[in-house]
Amino acid sequence: MFMQKKDIDWGSLGFGYIQTDKRYVSDFKDGKWDEGRLTEDANVVLNECAGVFQYAQTVFEGLKAYTTEDGRIVTFRPDLNAERLEQSAKRLEIPAFPRDRFIDAVKQVVSANAAYVPPFGSGATLYLRPYMMGTNPVIGVKPATEYQFRLFATPVGPYFKGGVKPLTLKVSDFDRAAPCGTGNIKAGLNYAMSLHAIVTAHNEGFDENMYLDAKTRTNVEETGGANFLFVTKDNKVVTPKSDSILPSITRRSLVQVAKEYLGLEAEERVIPFEEVKDMAECGLCGTAAVISPVGKIVDHGKEICFPSGMTDMGPITKKLYETLTGIQMGKIKAPEGWIYEIM
Ligand code: PLP
Ligand code: COI
């Protein structure tokens, strides 16, 4: 089927918002979700006292739609985003949005905005942002009784300017998440927490923050928007284990790719910051970040420079990147159930 794409310079897109034609909306009232609809209205008008405005009762997800080499439009593991959104909602006392309806909303929004799905090989993708929020007035600290689920799409390029140029991180003096807090869910409040820290890091010339665990400040957690992945000098993939980091779908997929496609050993375990200086490669993994190489980490003036250097991805990081994106864009056969075809 021939489809006229929008006149967008796909190759020069950054990670920003471009309004697309249609988004999906469903409202929760009187204990149930309505049937949902696509709308052209990109604005949300709510009461001044809505739960989302007063007590930040909102959770979200992030996933992408891709054009494959043979021209299909697909998404990557949306079932896991549906599941994680349910877990996030539960933690903030938001009623679950049914998982099958989440997948249906993804299909409807991508199909309705097919002209915005960047072409294969352009380096861009269609980013999907599902989210839920408390919509009725609440002034005492309690959950709302009415909610909205929305899902919009926006075409995006690389999350970090410079594409695959290795990043420089700062070990943050701020915490991202508390022990027994909300670090393991995708709640807007975690990102509000990180804004001052990221502005501080940027002002000091860093690309991102490395957060350590809030309780002991000795173990590696994650960055503001991605999980860590390290490669040891004997080519083992290791990722941090913690109850206060987001269970990244990209990271879980990369670990499986490392084992099943690249024949590497992979381990999820507590990683003391002390060990980081002995690693061969370091990357940030997430939907937006894909896998972005880290070249240097600075801990209060003390520099850790990875042997992979500041110009290219390390060799294992590169293989992981190529295999994962190859799977997502239909060049490499995917494990069963990873690719959902839209059209
Ligand atoms: N960690 C944080 C804090 C994030 O915001 C994200 C982005 O979604 C990730 C990790 C990566 O998760 P995923 O791979 O599921 O996109
Ligand atoms: C994603 O990777 O989808 C995220 O939500 C991270 C965010 C910092 C853009």
Side-chain angles (χ1 to χ4, degrees):
M1 186 188 63
F2 178 77
M3 187 209 358
Q4 186 70 43
K5 290 281 179 187
K6 294 285 169 182
D7 185 19
I8 292 172
D9 181 8
W10 309 106
S12 61
L13 284 177
F15 195 85
Y17 173 73
I18 292 175
Q19 191 175 311
T20 52
D21 294 340
K22 302 266 178 73
R23 68 278 304 124
Y24 180 92
V25 186
S26 179
D27 290 303
F28 182 90
K29 198 177 173 174
D30 300 327
K32 57 180 192 301
W33 290 102
D34 70 8
E35 66 285 1
R37 63 209 171 270
L38 285 177
T39 171
E40 287 180 4
D41 191 355
N43 296 309
V44 184
V45 178
L46 294 176
N47 183 272
E48 61 193 355
C49 200
V52 58
F53 297 141
Q54 300 313 320
Y55 304 120
Q57 198 186 12
T58 179
V59 293
F60 69 102
E61 270 303 324
L63 67 160
K64 284 174 171 173
Y66 309 82
T67 304
T68 61
E69 196 164 24
D70 59 359
R72 292 170 298 127
I73 295 178
V74 301
T75 57
F76 182 71
R77 311 189 79 179
D79 52 319
L80 297 187
N81 296 98
E83 183 187 352
R84 192 171 62 189
L85 185 66
E86 193 176 299
Q87 285 154 4
S88 299
K90 190 170 179 195
R91 179 69 173 78
L92 291 201
E93 295 292 338
I94 297 173
F97 191 70
R99 294 186 200 179
D100 56 333
R101 289 198 51 197
F102 178 101
I103 308 271
D104 179 55
V106 167
K107 286 186 175 158
Q108 286 194 44
V109 170
V110 176
S111 303
N113 297 296
Y116 290 93
V117 185
F120 175 78
S122 65
T125 53
L126 188 72
Y127 185 70
L128 304 173
R129 173 52 62 86
Y131 62 113
M132 300 168 80
M133 61 194 150
T135 51
N136 66 299
V138 278
I139 195 75
V141 178
K142 61 175 189 240
T145 52
E146 295 174 13
Y147 294 87
Q148 189 165 84
F149 169 91
R150 294 180 79 93
L151 196 163
F152 68 81
T154 183
V156 296
Y159 189 67
F160 294 104
K161 292 193 285 290
V164 296
K165 199 182 150 299
L167 304 167
T168 302
L169 312 190
K170 169 195 164 102
V171 176
S172 184
D173 290 322
F174 300 102
D175 294 321
R176 190 194 82 96
C180 308
T182 54
N184 61 343
I185 61 158
K186 214 159 162 59
L189 63 92
N190 293 332
Y191 300 80
M193 279 273 286
S194 75
L195 294 177
H196 180 60
I198 192 70
V199 170
T200 304
H202 285 165
N203 287 344
E204 293 173 4
F206 299 100
D207 298 300
E208 251 292 1
N209 283 297
M210 168 184 263
Y211 293 103
L212 302 180
D213 73 291
K215 195 169 181 176
T216 70
R217 288 275 175 98
T218 55
N219 300 319
V220 177
E221 291 261 298
E222 61 176 328
T223 68
N227 279 184
F228 278 103
L229 181 149
F230 296 96
V231 181
T232 63
K233 287 189 175 137
D234 55 358
N235 286 350
K236 196 191 264 183
V237 170
V238 285
T239 58
K241 190 178 173 69
S242 162
D243 293 335
S244 46
I245 65 172
L246 194 75
S248 160
I249 294 161
T250 313
R251 185 251 305 160
R252 288 181 270 161
S253 303
L254 284 167
V255 162
Q256 198 172 328
V257 163
K259 288 182 186 161
E260 294 175 10
Y261 287 68
L262 306 180
L264 299 172
E265 268 182 70
E267 192 183 11
E268 184 187 1
R269 62 169 168 85
V270 171
I271 303 180
F273 177 68
E274 246 323 283
E275 268 187 43
V276 170
K277 63 177 186 339
D278 302 321
M279 298 291 182
E281 298 176 38
C282 173
L284 303 184
C285 45
T287 299
V290 192
I291 176 163
S292 303
V294 176
K296 193 196 282 190
I297 300 177
V298 182
D299 175 24
H300 301 90
K302 230 170 62 200
E303 292 192 350
I304 295 173
C305 298
F306 295 102
S308 49
M310 291 307 290
T311 48
D312 285 310
M313 281 195 180
I316 304 277
T317 307
K318 188 157 188 192
K319 275 191 200 154
L320 286 167
Y321 177 87
E322 283 172 355
T323 312
L324 180 71
T325 54
I327 288 170
Q328 290 166 333
M329 315 248 177
K331 290 212 287 194
I332 297 173
K333 191 175 173 343
E336 187 70 32
W338 279 22
I339 299 298
Y340 281 55
E341 194 158 325
I342 308 282
M343 57 199 286

